[in-house]
Protein backbone atom coordinates (compact mmCIF):
# COMPACT_ATOMS: atom_id res chain seq x y z
CA UNK A 1 0.00 0.00 0.00
CA UNK A 2 1.02 3.65 -0.11
CA UNK A 3 1.57 5.83 2.92
CA UNK A 4 0.83 9.49 3.46
CA UNK A 5 3.05 10.70 0.62
CA UNK A 6 2.48 7.91 -1.83
CA UNK A 7 5.55 6.22 -0.39
CA UNK A 8 5.29 2.44 -0.26
CA UNK A 9 4.22 0.88 2.97
CA UNK A 10 4.44 -2.85 3.60
CA UNK A 11 1.64 -4.45 5.60
CA UNK A 12 2.38 -7.69 7.49
CA UNK A 13 -0.51 -9.80 8.78
CA UNK A 14 -0.66 -13.00 10.81
CA UNK A 15 -3.37 -15.69 10.66
CA UNK A 16 -5.06 -14.31 13.81
CA UNK A 17 -5.47 -10.87 12.20
CA UNK A 18 -2.69 -8.96 13.91
CA UNK A 19 -0.85 -6.52 11.63
CA UNK A 20 2.23 -4.35 11.26
CA UNK A 21 2.81 -1.48 8.82
CA UNK A 22 6.32 -0.43 7.79
CA UNK A 23 6.98 2.65 5.68
CA UNK A 24 9.87 2.70 3.23
CA UNK A 25 10.26 6.27 4.44
CA UNK A 26 12.76 5.82 7.24
CA UNK A 27 12.21 2.06 7.52
CA UNK A 28 9.73 3.22 10.16
CA UNK A 29 7.20 0.87 11.71
CA UNK A 30 4.10 3.07 11.76
CA UNK A 31 1.57 0.65 13.19
CA UNK A 32 1.43 -2.58 15.24
CA UNK A 33 -2.06 -3.90 15.95
CA UNK A 34 -3.12 -6.92 17.97
CA UNK A 35 -5.61 -9.51 16.73
CA UNK A 36 -8.47 -7.31 17.95
CA UNK A 37 -7.24 -4.48 15.74
CA UNK A 38 -6.11 -2.37 18.74
CA UNK A 39 -3.17 -0.07 17.94
CA UNK A 40 -0.27 -0.76 20.31
CA UNK A 41 2.06 2.03 19.16
CA UNK A 42 1.46 5.75 19.65
CA UNK A 43 1.11 8.07 16.67
CA UNK A 44 0.42 11.73 17.29
CA UNK A 45 -2.87 13.09 15.94
CA UNK A 46 -0.76 16.11 14.95
CA UNK A 47 1.87 14.00 13.15
CA UNK A 48 3.26 15.83 10.12
CA UNK A 49 3.55 13.55 7.12
CA UNK A 50 6.16 15.54 5.25
CA UNK A 51 9.35 13.78 4.24
CA UNK A 52 12.16 13.92 4.99
CA UNK A 53 11.00 14.54 8.61
CA UNK A 54 10.05 11.37 10.47
CA UNK A 55 6.39 10.96 11.41
CA UNK A 56 5.86 11.45 15.19
CA UNK A 57 5.18 7.97 16.49
CA UNK A 58 5.69 4.31 15.65
CA UNK A 59 9.35 3.25 15.78
CA UNK A 60 11.75 5.67 14.05
CA UNK A 61 15.25 4.28 13.60
CA UNK A 62 17.96 6.48 15.13
CA UNK A 63 21.21 5.86 13.22
CA UNK A 64 24.17 6.58 12.97
CA UNK A 65 23.74 8.97 15.87
CA UNK A 66 21.32 9.08 18.80
CA UNK A 67 20.23 12.51 19.97
CA UNK A 68 22.28 15.54 19.05
CA UNK A 69 25.56 14.44 20.60
CA UNK A 70 27.46 14.58 17.31
CA UNK A 71 27.79 16.42 14.02
CA UNK A 72 24.66 15.02 12.37
CA UNK A 73 21.02 16.07 12.60
CA UNK A 74 19.11 14.94 15.69
CA UNK A 75 18.93 11.12 15.74
CA UNK A 76 20.95 10.77 12.50
CA UNK A 77 19.61 10.46 8.96
CA UNK A 78 18.36 6.84 8.62
CA UNK A 79 14.81 7.77 9.69
CA UNK A 80 14.65 10.49 7.01
CA UNK A 81 15.78 8.40 4.03
CA UNK A 82 13.84 6.23 1.60
CA UNK A 83 14.73 2.56 2.15
CA UNK A 84 14.36 -0.21 -0.44
CA UNK A 85 12.94 -3.70 -0.22
CA UNK A 86 15.84 -6.14 0.08
CA UNK A 87 14.99 -8.90 -2.41
CA UNK A 88 17.85 -11.22 -1.54
CA UNK A 89 18.91 -10.64 2.04
CA UNK A 90 21.83 -12.67 3.39
CA UNK A 91 20.63 -15.68 5.40
CA UNK A 92 19.32 -14.93 8.87
CA UNK A 93 18.81 -17.32 11.79
CA UNK A 94 15.95 -19.71 10.80
CA UNK A 95 13.79 -19.00 13.86
CA UNK A 96 13.81 -15.39 12.78
CA UNK A 97 11.50 -16.32 9.95
CA UNK A 98 9.85 -19.60 10.97
CA UNK A 99 6.07 -19.04 11.02
CA UNK A 100 6.48 -15.28 10.75
CA UNK A 101 5.45 -12.80 8.11
CA UNK A 102 8.33 -10.46 7.50
CA UNK A 103 9.86 -7.89 5.21
CA UNK A 104 13.54 -7.13 4.64
CA UNK A 105 14.52 -3.49 4.05
CA UNK A 106 17.87 -2.10 2.98
CA UNK A 107 19.51 1.31 3.41
CA UNK A 108 22.79 2.23 1.79
CA UNK A 109 24.26 5.74 1.93
CA UNK A 110 23.72 8.02 -1.06
CA UNK A 111 26.53 10.29 -2.27
CA UNK A 112 24.83 13.04 -0.29
CA UNK A 113 24.83 10.95 2.88
CA UNK A 114 28.53 10.18 2.38
CA UNK A 115 29.20 13.92 2.34
CA UNK A 116 27.84 14.30 5.87
CA UNK A 117 28.91 10.88 7.11
CA UNK A 118 31.80 9.50 5.01
CA UNK A 119 31.38 5.82 5.87
CA UNK A 120 29.99 3.19 3.51
CA UNK A 121 27.59 0.76 5.19
CA UNK A 122 24.78 -1.65 4.47
CA UNK A 123 21.89 -1.44 6.94
CA UNK A 124 19.52 -4.40 6.67
CA UNK A 125 16.33 -4.22 8.72
CA UNK A 126 14.04 -7.21 9.09
CA UNK A 127 10.60 -6.46 10.52
CA UNK A 128 8.56 -9.52 11.39
CA UNK A 129 5.21 -10.37 12.92
CA UNK A 130 4.96 -13.73 14.65
CA UNK A 131 1.91 -16.01 14.82
CA UNK A 132 1.41 -14.91 18.44
CA UNK A 133 1.45 -11.21 17.47
CA UNK A 134 4.97 -10.36 18.68
CA UNK A 135 6.76 -7.71 16.63
CA UNK A 136 10.50 -8.20 16.02
CA UNK A 137 12.98 -5.75 14.48
CA UNK A 138 16.45 -7.00 13.58
CA UNK A 139 19.03 -4.47 12.42
CA UNK A 140 22.21 -5.72 10.77
CA UNK A 141 24.71 -2.97 10.03
CA UNK A 142 27.82 -3.88 8.08
CA UNK A 143 30.90 -1.74 7.45
CA UNK A 144 31.62 -2.06 3.73
CA UNK A 145 34.14 0.81 3.69
CA UNK A 146 37.88 0.53 3.97
CA UNK A 147 38.20 1.99 7.46
CA UNK A 148 36.54 1.59 10.86
CA UNK A 149 33.57 3.73 11.87
CA UNK A 150 31.52 4.11 15.02
CA UNK A 151 27.82 4.82 15.57
CA UNK A 152 25.11 5.00 18.20
CA UNK A 153 21.65 3.58 17.59
CA UNK A 154 18.11 3.39 19.01
CA UNK A 155 14.74 1.91 18.12
CA UNK A 156 12.78 5.04 19.12
CA UNK A 157 9.70 3.13 20.28
CA UNK A 158 6.49 5.12 20.99
CA UNK A 159 4.33 2.82 23.12
CA UNK A 160 0.63 3.64 23.37
CA UNK A 161 -0.53 3.82 27.01
CA UNK A 162 -3.91 4.71 28.48
CA UNK A 163 -2.70 7.12 31.16
CA UNK A 164 1.01 7.84 31.79
CA UNK A 165 0.32 8.42 35.49
CA UNK A 166 -0.84 4.78 35.70
CA UNK A 167 2.23 3.32 34.00
CA UNK A 168 5.35 1.82 35.54
CA UNK A 169 8.52 0.28 34.18
CA UNK A 170 10.09 -2.79 35.77
CA UNK A 171 13.64 -3.87 35.01
CA UNK A 172 15.52 -0.58 35.31
CA UNK A 173 15.68 -0.44 39.10
CA UNK A 174 19.06 0.52 40.66
CA UNK A 175 20.64 1.13 37.20
CA UNK A 176 22.77 4.17 36.45
CA UNK A 177 21.28 6.62 33.95
CA UNK A 178 22.30 9.76 32.09
CA UNK A 179 19.74 12.50 32.62
CA UNK A 180 19.13 14.58 29.50
CA UNK A 181 17.38 17.15 31.71
CA UNK A 182 20.55 17.71 33.76
CA UNK A 183 23.28 18.02 31.11
CA UNK A 184 23.38 14.23 30.75
CA UNK A 185 24.80 13.89 34.27
CA UNK A 186 24.93 10.37 35.70
CA UNK A 187 22.52 9.32 38.46
CA UNK A 188 21.48 6.02 40.01
CA UNK A 189 17.87 4.85 39.88
CA UNK A 190 16.27 3.90 43.17
CA UNK A 191 15.13 0.41 44.00
CA UNK A 192 11.57 0.19 42.81
CA UNK A 193 9.63 0.43 39.56
CA UNK A 194 9.78 3.73 37.67
CA UNK A 195 6.58 5.81 37.66
CA UNK A 196 5.82 9.12 35.96
CA UNK A 197 4.79 12.47 37.39
CA UNK A 198 6.78 14.85 35.16
CA UNK A 199 9.05 15.08 32.10
CA UNK A 200 11.56 12.23 31.86
CA UNK A 201 14.40 12.02 29.34
CA UNK A 202 16.99 9.45 30.41
CA UNK A 203 19.37 6.85 29.05
CA UNK A 204 19.53 3.84 31.40
CA UNK A 205 22.87 2.05 31.10
CA UNK A 206 23.78 -1.64 30.91
CA UNK A 207 20.17 -2.70 31.31
CA UNK A 208 18.81 -6.26 31.44
CA UNK A 209 17.54 -7.70 28.17
CA UNK A 210 13.92 -7.91 29.37
CA UNK A 211 12.01 -4.78 30.39
CA UNK A 212 8.30 -4.65 31.36
CA UNK A 213 6.07 -1.61 30.85
CA UNK A 214 2.88 -2.03 32.83
CA UNK A 215 -0.24 -0.12 31.75
CA UNK A 216 -2.47 -0.32 34.79
CA UNK A 217 -5.70 0.95 33.29
CA UNK A 218 -5.64 -1.35 30.26
CA UNK A 219 -4.42 -4.25 32.41
CA UNK A 220 -1.70 -4.98 29.85
CA UNK A 221 2.06 -5.24 30.00
CA UNK A 222 4.46 -4.60 27.13
CA UNK A 223 7.38 -7.02 27.33
CA UNK A 224 10.49 -5.69 25.59
CA UNK A 225 13.23 -8.23 24.85
CA UNK A 226 16.45 -7.02 23.30
CA UNK A 227 19.91 -8.23 22.22
CA UNK A 228 22.90 -6.08 21.38
CA UNK A 229 21.13 -3.06 22.89
CA UNK A 230 22.56 -2.45 26.38
CA UNK A 231 20.93 0.94 26.96
CA UNK A 232 17.29 1.97 27.33
CA UNK A 233 16.03 5.48 26.59
CA UNK A 234 12.95 6.50 28.61
CA UNK A 235 11.21 9.66 27.40
CA UNK A 236 8.00 11.44 28.13
CA UNK A 237 7.92 15.16 27.19
CA UNK A 238 5.15 15.97 29.70
CA UNK A 239 2.91 19.00 29.32
CA UNK A 240 5.28 21.92 28.68
CA UNK A 241 7.45 20.18 26.05
CA UNK A 242 4.36 18.60 24.45
CA UNK A 243 2.85 22.06 23.97
CA UNK A 244 6.12 23.22 22.38
CA UNK A 245 6.11 20.48 19.73
CA UNK A 246 4.14 21.27 16.55
CA UNK A 247 3.61 17.60 15.70
CA UNK A 248 2.41 16.58 19.16
CA UNK A 249 -1.01 17.21 20.69
CA UNK A 250 -1.01 19.25 23.91
CA UNK A 251 -2.42 16.42 26.02
CA UNK A 252 -0.97 13.50 24.11
CA UNK A 253 1.92 13.06 26.52
CA UNK A 254 -0.64 11.22 28.67
CA UNK A 255 -1.06 8.48 26.07
CA UNK A 256 2.55 7.69 25.17
CA UNK A 257 5.87 6.57 26.57
CA UNK A 258 9.10 6.07 24.64
CA UNK A 259 11.09 3.06 25.86
CA UNK A 260 13.88 2.61 23.33
CA UNK A 261 16.27 -0.31 23.03
CA UNK A 262 19.50 1.52 22.23
CA UNK A 263 23.28 1.60 22.26
CA UNK A 264 24.39 5.07 23.26
CA UNK A 265 26.89 5.22 26.14
CA UNK A 266 29.47 3.05 24.38
CA UNK A 267 28.98 3.51 20.62
CA UNK A 268 29.75 0.53 18.41
CA UNK A 269 32.97 0.55 16.39
CA UNK A 270 32.92 -1.63 13.26
CA UNK A 271 36.09 -2.58 11.43
CA UNK A 272 35.88 -3.02 7.63
CA UNK A 273 33.74 -6.06 6.85
CA UNK A 274 32.38 -6.36 10.41
CA UNK A 275 28.64 -6.48 11.11
CA UNK A 276 26.63 -5.49 14.20
CA UNK A 277 23.19 -6.92 15.02
CA UNK A 278 20.61 -5.25 17.25
CA UNK A 279 17.45 -7.21 17.93
CA UNK A 280 14.23 -5.97 19.56
CA UNK A 281 11.14 -8.04 20.28
CA UNK A 282 7.91 -6.43 21.50
CA UNK A 283 5.10 -8.47 23.01
CA UNK A 284 1.98 -7.67 25.02
CA UNK A 285 0.61 -9.82 27.82
CA UNK A 286 -2.52 -9.26 29.88
CA UNK A 287 -1.41 -8.30 33.37
CA UNK A 288 -3.56 -9.10 36.32
CA UNK A 289 -2.51 -6.34 38.66
CA UNK A 290 -2.28 -7.22 42.25
CA UNK A 291 -2.99 -3.73 43.52
CA UNK A 292 -0.22 -2.82 45.91
CA UNK A 293 -1.62 -1.96 49.28
O1 LIG B 1 14.06 10.23 23.47
C1 LIG B 1 14.99 11.15 23.74
C2 LIG B 1 14.95 12.34 22.77
O2 LIG B 1 16.25 12.65 22.39
C3 LIG B 1 14.27 13.50 23.48
O3 LIG B 1 15.24 14.39 24.01
C4 LIG B 1 13.41 14.12 22.39
O4 LIG B 1 14.16 15.02 21.62
C5 LIG B 1 13.00 12.87 21.62
O5 LIG B 1 14.18 12.09 21.56
C6 LIG B 1 12.35 13.15 20.28
O6 LIG B 1 13.29 13.52 19.35
P1 LIG B 1 12.71 13.92 17.87
O7 LIG B 1 13.90 14.34 17.09
O8 LIG B 1 12.05 12.67 17.30
O9 LIG B 1 11.69 15.00 18.11
Amino acid sequence: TKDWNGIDQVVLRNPRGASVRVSLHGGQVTSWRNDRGEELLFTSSKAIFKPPKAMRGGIPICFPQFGNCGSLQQHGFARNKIWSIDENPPPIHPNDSLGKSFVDLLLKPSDDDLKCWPHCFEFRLRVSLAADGKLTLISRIRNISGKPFHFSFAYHTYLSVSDISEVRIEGLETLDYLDNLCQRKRFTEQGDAITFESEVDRVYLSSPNVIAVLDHERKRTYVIRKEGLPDVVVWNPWEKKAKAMLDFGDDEYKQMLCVDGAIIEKPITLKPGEEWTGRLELGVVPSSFCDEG
Side-chain angles (χ1 to χ4, degrees):
T1 71
K2 300 279 179 196
D3 66 12
W4 48 85
N5 278 284
I7 296 169
D8 291 331
Q9 237 189 150
V10 176
V11 182
L12 306 173
R13 286 191 201 293
N14 78 1
R16 291 187 199 165
S19 67
V20 170
R21 285 175 175 271
V22 196
S23 174
L24 293 194
H25 180 262
Q28 187 169 349
V29 169
T30 56
S31 169
W32 170 41
R33 291 173 184 263
N34 63 17
D35 49 18
R36 290 193 296 284
E38 291 167 330
E39 180 57 66
L40 300 168
L41 296 177
F42 169 83
T43 296
S44 172
S45 61
K46 297 274 183 63
I48 297 169
F49 302 127
K50 189 170 169 299
K53 200 170 160 5
M55 179 275 285
R56 174 76 58 193
I59 308 177
I61 301 274
C62 302
F63 171 83
Q65 169 192 298
F66 179 80
N68 43 24
C69 45
S71 58
L72 301 175
Q73 58 203 287
Q74 162 101 329
H75 294 329
F77 52 77
R79 65 176 178 167
N80 300 334
K81 310 303 288 183
I82 299 294
W83 292 53
S84 58
I85 303 265
D86 186 0
E87 302 298 352
N88 55 344
I92 198 162
H93 198 284
N95 62 13
D96 278 323
S97 43
L98 224 53
K100 296 185 176 182
S101 56
F102 60 88
V103 62
D104 287 301
L105 302 184
L106 173 64
L107 178 71
K108 295 176 77 163
S110 65
D111 294 343
D112 256 7
D113 300 329
L114 289 169
K115 285 190 195 109
C116 68
W117 199 65
H119 307 293
C120 219
F121 64 87
E122 279 175 354
F123 185 156
R124 289 181 152 79
L125 172 66
R126 169 166 293 191
V127 181
S128 61
L129 177 63
D132 64 1
K134 286 195 185 76
L135 163 63
T136 299
L137 291 89
I138 302 174
S139 289
R140 293 184 288 169
I141 298 170
R142 178 181 294 281
N143 180 348
I144 57 171
S145 76
K147 51 188 189 347
F149 64 66
H150 64 265
F151 63 89
S152 51
F153 175 97
Y155 289 113
H156 201 11
T157 309
Y158 285 79
L159 299 175
S160 170
V161 297
S162 51
D163 174 355
I164 186 63
S165 58
E166 300 282 325
V167 171
R168 67 178 201 268
I169 299 181
E170 292 180 356
L172 300 178
E173 297 81 355
T174 74
L175 293 184
D176 279 5
Y177 64 87
L178 307 176
D179 192 337
N180 240 357
L181 304 181
C182 304
Q183 299 82 35
R184 295 166 54 82
K185 272 198 214 108
R186 200 180 181 105
F187 297 84
T188 301
E189 186 55 64
Q190 22 85 6
D192 42 40
I194 298 170
T195 54
F196 299 88
E197 301 84 28
S198 60
E199 180 184 0
V200 171
D201 190 349
R202 300 173 179 173
V203 181
Y204 284 83
L205 307 174
S206 314
S207 59
N209 284 339
V210 183
I211 308 286
V213 180
L214 293 83
D215 180 338
H216 188 277
E217 214 157 284
R218 285 194 187 130
K219 302 247 177 296
R220 84 164 51 138
T221 296
Y222 289 101
V223 180
I224 300 169
R225 287 187 171 79
K226 53 191 178 68
E227 285 162 35
L229 299 161
D231 304 327
V232 174
V233 178
V234 177
W235 176 56
N236 186 292
W238 219 256
E239 186 166 7
K240 189 160 157 279
K241 284 273 176 65
K243 284 194 165 64
M245 286 191 283
L246 264 181
D247 59 350
F248 200 99
D250 289 358
D251 280 348
E252 286 184 333
Y253 69 94
K254 296 174 182 165
Q255 282 96 38
M256 58 70 71
L257 178 63
C258 278
V259 184
D260 312 349
I263 183 152
I264 297 169
E265 187 197 25
K266 301 188 182 92
I268 289 285
T269 297
L270 286 182
K271 297 193 193 73
E274 271 191 331
E275 180 175 86
W276 169 81
T277 300
R279 200 175 186 289
L280 181 77
E281 180 196 86
L282 297 177
V284 182
V285 294
S287 32
S288 49
F289 281 72
C290 42
D291 278 326
E292 278 148 24

